[in-house]
Amino acid sequence: MQLLRKISLCGPLLLALLLITTTWVAVLAAAPAKANSLTTVHRVVGNRLSNPNAELLHQMVLTGRLAPTVHVLNSLPPTTIVQFPLVPSGIKNAFPQATGLVTIVRGNRDNAFSDTITVDVQHMPPNITYPIFFIEFASKPFGNVEYVADLTTRGDGSGETIFQNIAFVAFAMDARNPGTSQDGQEGTTSGTNLEHLGMWFSQLQDAQKILNDDTLKGTIFDGGNPPLHAGPQAMTDGQTAPVF
């Protein structure tokens, strides 16, 4: 009787163990299929997350409408991010290792028009303030310009500034004779497009001392009195084709 009782008790236990084992086998077998399914979904979603404006900028670089130094970073729409380097101009002989990097994050045109611009520099003259301008031409005669920000270097010659402004469609004009110009992204636009960036010495005396050149003349590239108290251009994107 005891033997029969033990057999009758073992039956349900074995059945339960069999059911549990079967369930885990099914779960483990389904896991790779589920993972593959998620991977497929991610691939489909990834293919759909194209960025038309970034693709346009890529094409503009490839066709020469934007300078070859421009790098379009991968980003999800509606954000578009471009970067381009700065090179020494007026400080080239004294600070040939100076470098700069400009990053522009395009604002969402559905709710904001300002872009976020970061300028980061290294190995420049230390403890000096530099006004930053959007300019028509990267080098002399510079053409139309727009003051946008200041950057002050630290003791090691590094520095950065972040500001918000309209960059991708920046323009200047004389309202008495506004004229039009062609922009690679916007087509025909008002005034003259400003598609380059440069940095100047805020004070002529700083430039003369640091560059050891008393013959340097003042420029208009800083506000205030006197009108020609700024020094020469220090950094520029150095390109003929637009950089933004």
Side-chain angles (χ1 to χ4, degrees):
M1 291 295 292
Q2 291 180 352
L3 179 62
L4 291 175
R5 189 176 294 113
K6 289 180 179 180
I7 293 174
S8 63
L9 290 173
C10 288
L13 289 174
L14 290 173
L15 180 60
L17 287 173
L18 180 61
L19 289 173
I20 291 171
T21 302
T22 304
T23 301
W24 274 107
V25 169
V27 169
L28 293 173
K34 184 176 182 180
N36 290 336
S37 175
L38 288 173
T39 301
T40 302
V41 169
H42 287 168
R43 286 173 182 166
V44 171
V45 172
N47 289 336
R48 289 177 180 173
L49 290 176
S50 61
N51 191 333
N53 195 64
E55 291 170 3
L56 170 62
L57 293 176
H58 274 297
Q59 284 300 118
M60 290 175 65
V61 174
L62 291 175
T63 57
R65 289 182 290 164
L66 281 179
T69 56
V70 175
H71 181 55
V72 184
L73 277 62
N74 292 330
S75 60
L76 299 178
T79 301
T80 305
I81 307 172
V82 301
Q83 289 184 325
F84 57 88
L86 297 178
V87 296
S89 49
I91 63 172
K92 184 175 182 180
N93 292 333
F95 293 84
Q97 302 304 316
T99 60
L101 180 67
V102 180
T103 304
I104 302 177
V105 180
R106 183 179 188 267
N108 181 357
R109 295 301 187 257
D110 291 335
N111 55 33
F113 286 96
S114 290
D115 305 308
T116 301
I117 302 98
T118 302
V119 181
D120 185 286
V121 297
Q122 305 287 332
H123 310 298
M124 289 187 66
N127 303 312
I128 298 295
T129 296
Y130 304 88
I132 300 172
F133 283 79
F134 291 161
I135 49 182
E136 184 179 356
F137 306 112
S139 56
K140 291 181 179 179
F142 306 121
N144 291 278
V145 304
E146 176 192 4
Y147 165 78
V148 290
D150 281 342
L151 183 152
T152 301
T153 53
R154 291 180 281 266
D156 62 356
S158 68
E160 62 281 322
T161 187
I162 301 174
F163 58 97
Q164 288 190 309
N165 204 329
I166 295 174
F168 284 108
V169 290
F171 74 100
M173 71 172 184
D174 182 340
R176 296 168 298 181
N177 183 27
T180 60
S181 57
Q182 292 297 314
D183 179 78
Q185 299 179 70
E186 304 287 335
T188 302
T189 59
S190 301
T192 300
N193 288 300
L194 306 179
E195 300 171 321
H196 297 275
L197 186 144
M199 298 172 55
W200 274 257
F201 282 91
S202 177
Q203 297 294 327
L204 175 62
Q205 292 81 0
D206 290 338
Q208 290 174 333
K209 180 179 178 179
I210 288 171
L211 303 179
N212 193 27
D213 186 353
D214 292 335
T215 66
L216 293 173
K217 303 299 182 183
T219 70
I220 60 173
F221 287 89
D222 193 59
N225 181 54
L228 299 178
H229 71 266
Q233 188 189 66
M235 299 284 279
T236 177
D237 63 76
Q239 299 297 302
T240 300
V243 291
F244 57 85

